[in-house]
Amino acid sequence: MAARRKRAEEPEEPSRGGGALVLVVLGGGALAGVFAASEAAGILVTVSVTTVATWWTVTRPVSDSSATPPPPSAPPSGDVYAVEGTRAREVRRTPGEGYLIFPEIVHTTDPDAVGEVSDR
């Protein structure tokens, strides 16, 4: 019973897709009304709205989150290899009868240590 109350108290996240759909339907209805009044006015409105939307999309600034990250200040000095250690970092029980074992990862610069991963 408490789980149901907790779910009901959580605020719903608004859907951006739902809002866009409402705007498209309202805009389509208004455009249909303009076309019903005058075909030339409907074509003029369609071309005008398309031009403004294209201009707005092209002139809008791009957010920094989509920018390419800057290069690292100093390149790595050598090759670094990741080798599985012999100790477990985490053990998780699976839904069945098994377990998932996550080994510790050891970083080394010795290329010969890469082949030392043992079978378990």
Side-chain angles (χ1 to χ4, degrees):
M1 195 68 158
R4 288 186 183 180
R5 273 190 247 137
K6 185 176 182 181
R7 287 186 194 148
E9 294 172 6
E10 293 177 359
E12 275 192 37
E13 200 169 306
S15 170
R16 293 181 72 178
L21 181 64
V22 169
L23 290 177
V24 167
V25 169
L26 291 176
L31 186 60
V34 172
F35 265 104
S38 170
E39 186 176 340
I43 292 171
L44 182 63
V45 167
T46 303
V47 170
S48 301
V49 168
T50 304
T51 302
V52 169
T54 304
W55 174 81
W56 179 77
T57 302
V58 170
T59 60
R60 188 172 76 155
V62 180
S63 69
D64 288 340
S65 64
S66 64
T68 305
S73 58
S77 59
D79 292 334
V80 177
Y81 303 95
V83 180
E84 290 182 358
T86 56
R87 295 181 52 196
R89 172 177 48 95
E90 182 180 353
V91 178
R92 292 185 192 165
R93 185 179 176 100
T94 61
E97 296 180 10
Y99 290 89
L100 288 176
I101 301 172
F102 298 92
E104 285 184 347
I105 302 297
V106 179
H107 298 283
T108 181
T109 57
D110 182 15
D112 296 328
V114 175
E116 294 178 9
V117 177
S118 61
D119 293 331
R120 288 177 208 129

